[in-house]
Amino acid sequence: MSQPISIRQQSSVAKTSCLHCSLSNLCLPLALDDSDLSQLDEVVSRDRVFSRGELIFSQSTPFRSCFAVKSGAVKTSIITESGDEQITGFFMPGELVGLDSMSDEAHASTAKALERTNVCEIPVDRLEELVHVLPGLQHHLFHLMSQEIRNSHQLSVLLSKNTAEERIAALLLSLSSRFKRRKLSSTHFNLPMARNDIANFLGLAVETVSRVFTRFQNQGLIRARGRDIELLELEALQVMALGNSQP
Amino acid sequence: MSQPISIRQQSSVAKTSCLHCSLSNLCLPLALDDSDLSQLDEVVSRDRVFSRGELIFSQSTPFRSCFAVKSGAVKTSIITESGDEQITGFFMPGELVGLDSMSDEAHASTAKALERTNVCEIPVDRLEELVHVLPGLQHHLFHLMSQEIRNSHQLSVLLSKNTAEERIAALLLSLSSRFKRRKLSSTHFNLPMARNDIANFLGLAVETVSRVFTRFQNQGLIRARGRDIELLELEALQVMALGNSQP
DNA sequence: CGTAGGTTTGAGTCGGGTCAAGAAATGTGG
DNA sequence: CCACATTTCTTGACCCGACTCAAACCTACG
């Protein structure tokens, strides 16, 4: 499902050029014109497929490439010195993974496919060269990286200020808007990640996540059967996600 | 105190060129050679001074410049939709503030001087131009931004996995290592921020911060009189900062 | 020298963690 | 396709760390 549109639809995997990839407006929005895109096209290795649970790259290994998610979903996590995992992000089609290691020797995090996932590999040395000649691309990369910083700051806010219910409402809404951006249903979708991953990402215990899901369901806010989620009351969830700091 | 070394030490504020700034190896390490530095030098407006509590820039205002801290200290924070503040970082001399808004229309956060602070202003439009011709600078900027992402991820870990004691130990050690980097004492320094800011940053209540400080003092780990802090047992603090996940 | 902001200390409460155990989904091999 | 194994998810009971509320104490600065 949600296969990028391609000119020559060959085999099960679409060999799309950047120029014709339906995700290009997410992965590399506006900034680039057609001639720029075709230059980028040449440095990208397409059609790298990972099945559920496979590592795309892992922490402390040499950093060579960024990856654009084409289909499926990816989680990134870091292993702390004390040995436990902290998920730092979920990446959906059209999003760029690996920016936290840009211009660094080694990967700062580990990326794992949450389901069968198709990515485009973008070698950084080639990318950095290309950036020299394409001002638009440079600007765009700065933009993506700063967005990544802001995302992480948002996560910090969530973790330090919000209750379990607020965190989960916020995550559901974030996923919702990302599905919407891809022209998919914003109210009915499949969670790519397990409850465990949600808990880890949001700094909660799995049990708490489970409890909140059933509570939301009892309140009529969502309908959840396993990973199949339907958002019934978007407004109510939005209100909840904001939190009740000073009413 | 901790004034950058300058050739011509004029007035109270040192008008140092990037070339001779004692912080250049932090703000723009290694990557640049002397001729690169002098090019950078020309786009930087030096000697912007802010006194305690003054805003350097504020959220949602047009983004024009990044700022390098020369002396003093800065905190950045975001105001959430629900109206409360979340401090996203503290910036010490040699560190770059504002990267979370790179190539964005408006500032994503607010930066406020914690004490009398001296910064260099770096206009981004000039910076982006300069980056075209200086590959080393581009690489370095990518590096700084990715570091910023990693810092924020580290904060997320702290907030979601660690106890109050662990968070505070980690903050003290972070400050310690940053003082050390500047060739200042790593065990005896003045906190640039109030307990309140520490609490906000670490997702704790002020009272908790205060209690932990006194607890640390009673355990002989630190000696604290107001903002004057002495780290007595670095190793013990390091062990504590790691947390007791799976012993 | 007085007032406001910052800091400390105490008492009480609760959200969410832990532990334990069952239910559902998913996978595996015969 | 079914029986069994394993992982994932849910539910319940209990407990603790950190928050809240409240009040006293400092300290800096006009």
Side-chain angles (χ1 to χ4, degrees):
Chain A
M1 58 156 138
S2 87
Q3 203 76 320
I5 299 159
S6 129
I7 300 197
R8 37 201 173 112
Q9 192 91 26
Q10 76 170 43
S11 83
S12 63
V13 172
K15 292 201 192 291
T16 317
S17 76
C18 288
L19 206 54
H20 300 104
C21 174
S22 69
L23 293 169
S24 72
N25 59 332
L26 304 177
C27 160
L28 310 152
L30 1 118
L32 303 185
D33 60 28
D34 286 5
S35 78
D36 288 1
L37 268 182
S38 64
Q39 284 193 65
L40 175 70
D41 200 46
E42 283 166 26
V43 311
V44 175
S45 0
R46 246 163 307 285
D47 305 328
R48 305 225 24 203
V49 181
F50 297 86
S51 46
R52 155 190 260 261
E54 259 189 289
L55 291 178
I56 298 170
F57 54 79
S58 60
Q59 195 169 336
S60 305
T61 61
F63 172 68
R64 299 269 152 65
S65 306
C66 285
F67 297 83
V69 180
K70 247 172 94 180
S71 69
V74 174
K75 72 170 177 183
T76 55
S77 58
I78 56 184
I79 307 294
T80 67
E81 295 138 285
S82 51
D84 42 24
E85 179 187 25
Q86 166 72 32
I87 297 177
T88 51
F90 298 113
F91 295 81
M92 312 284 282
E95 298 172 354
L96 226 52
V97 186
L99 294 178
D100 59 347
S101 307
M102 271 301 272
S103 306
D104 217 20
E105 294 298 316
H107 278 289
S109 57
T110 296
K112 186 181 272 192
L114 289 167
E115 51 193 61
R116 176 154 278 264
T117 291
N118 196 336
V119 301
C120 299
E121 177 168 3
I122 310 169
V124 268
D125 49 353
R126 306 293 309 278
L127 183 63
E128 286 206 31
E129 284 167 25
L130 196 57
V131 162
H132 284 300
V133 290
L134 303 182
L137 184 59
Q138 180 202 98
H139 190 83
H140 184 55
L141 264 174
F142 281 145
H143 185 74
L144 285 180
M145 291 182 77
S146 71
Q147 203 156 56
E148 195 74 12
I149 299 173
R150 290 197 296 279
N151 281 344
S152 186
H153 285 168
Q154 283 300 342
L155 179 58
S156 298
V157 173
L158 215 58
L159 292 173
S160 81
K161 294 249 187 309
N162 293 20
T163 65
E165 294 197 342
E166 290 158 5
R167 297 182 204 186
I168 290 177
L171 176 62
L172 289 177
L173 289 171
S174 163
L175 292 172
S176 166
S177 72
R178 285 146 87 186
F179 279 111
K180 185 175 191 176
R181 208 171 66 145
R182 287 160 56 203
K183 309 278 194 280
L184 301 174
S185 170
S186 64
T187 56
H188 191 187
F189 47 82
N190 266 53
L191 294 177
M193 73 293 278
R195 296 283 187 276
N196 220 330
D197 291 330
I198 296 178
N200 182 304
F201 180 63
L202 295 177
L204 299 170
V206 202
E207 295 93 325
T208 305
V209 174
S210 193
R211 278 186 252 270
V212 171
F213 268 96
T214 54
R215 213 178 305 158
F216 279 1
Q217 184 144 236
N218 294 337
Q219 297 173 252
L221 297 176
I222 67 171
R223 198 195 50 82
R225 268 205 316 277
R227 296 191 177 188
D228 176 37
I229 298 287
E230 203 167 344
L231 307 185
L232 303 174
E233 298 287 349
L234 271 184
E235 298 81 23
L237 286 169
Q238 275 150 2
V239 170
M240 169 162 291
L242 286 182
N244 270 15
S245 330
Q246 36 266 23
Chain B
M1 62 157 139
S2 85
Q3 202 78 317
I5 299 160
S6 128
I7 299 196
R8 40 203 171 109
Q9 192 89 28
Q10 75 171 47
S11 83
S12 64
V13 172
K15 293 202 190 290
T16 317
S17 74
C18 288
L19 206 53
H20 300 107
C21 175
S22 69
L23 294 168
S24 72
N25 59 333
L26 304 177
C27 160
L28 310 152
L30 358 119
L32 304 186
D33 59 28
D34 284 5
S35 76
D36 288 1
L37 268 182
S38 63
Q39 285 193 64
L40 176 68
D41 200 47
E42 284 166 26
V43 311
V44 175
S45 0
R46 245 165 305 287
D47 305 328
R48 304 224 27 202
V49 181
F50 297 87
S51 45
R52 153 189 262 260
E54 259 191 288
L55 292 178
I56 297 170
F57 55 77
S58 61
Q59 195 170 335
S60 305
T61 61
F63 172 67
R64 299 270 154 65
S65 306
C66 286
F67 296 84
V69 181
K70 247 172 94 180
S71 69
V74 174
K75 72 169 178 183
T76 54
S77 59
I78 57 184
I79 307 294
T80 67
E81 295 139 286
S82 50
D84 41 25
E85 179 187 25
Q86 166 72 34
I87 296 176
T88 51
F90 298 112
F91 294 80
M92 312 283 282
E95 299 172 353
L96 227 52
V97 186
L99 295 178
D100 58 348
S101 307
M102 270 302 273
S103 306
D104 217 21
E105 293 299 313
H107 278 289
S109 57
T110 296
K112 186 181 272 191
L114 289 167
E115 50 192 60
R116 177 154 278 264
T117 292
N118 195 336
V119 302
C120 298
E121 176 168 2
I122 310 169
V124 268
D125 49 354
R126 306 291 310 277
L127 184 63
E128 287 205 29
E129 285 167 24
L130 195 57
V131 161
H132 285 299
V133 290
L134 302 182
L137 184 58
Q138 179 202 99
H139 190 83
H140 183 55
L141 264 175
F142 281 145
H143 184 73
L144 285 180
M145 291 183 77
S146 71
Q147 203 157 53
E148 195 73 14
I149 299 173
R150 289 196 298 279
N151 281 344
S152 186
H153 286 168
Q154 283 300 343
L155 179 59
S156 298
V157 173
L158 215 59
L159 292 173
S160 82
K161 295 250 188 308
N162 292 18
T163 65
E165 296 196 344
E166 289 158 6
R167 296 182 204 187
I168 290 176
L171 176 62
L172 289 176
L173 290 171
S174 164
L175 292 172
S176 166
S177 72
R178 284 147 87 187
F179 279 111
K180 186 175 191 175
R181 209 171 65 145
R182 286 160 57 203
K183 310 277 194 278
L184 301 173
S185 169
S186 65
T187 55
H188 191 187
F189 47 82
N190 264 54
L191 295 177
M193 72 294 275
R195 299 281 188 275
N196 217 329
D197 291 331
I198 296 179
N200 182 303
F201 180 63
L202 295 177
L204 300 169
V206 202
E207 296 94 323
T208 306
V209 174
S210 192
R211 279 186 250 270
V212 171
F213 268 97
T214 54
R215 213 178 304 159
F216 280 2
Q217 185 145 236
N218 294 337
Q219 295 173 252
L221 297 176
I222 67 173
R223 198 194 51 81
R225 268 205 317 277
R227 297 191 176 186
D228 176 37
I229 299 285
E230 203 167 344
L231 307 184
L232 302 174
E233 298 287 349
L234 271 183
E235 299 80 24
L237 286 169
Q238 276 151 2
V239 170
M240 170 163 290
L242 287 181
N244 269 14
S245 331
Q246 35 267 24

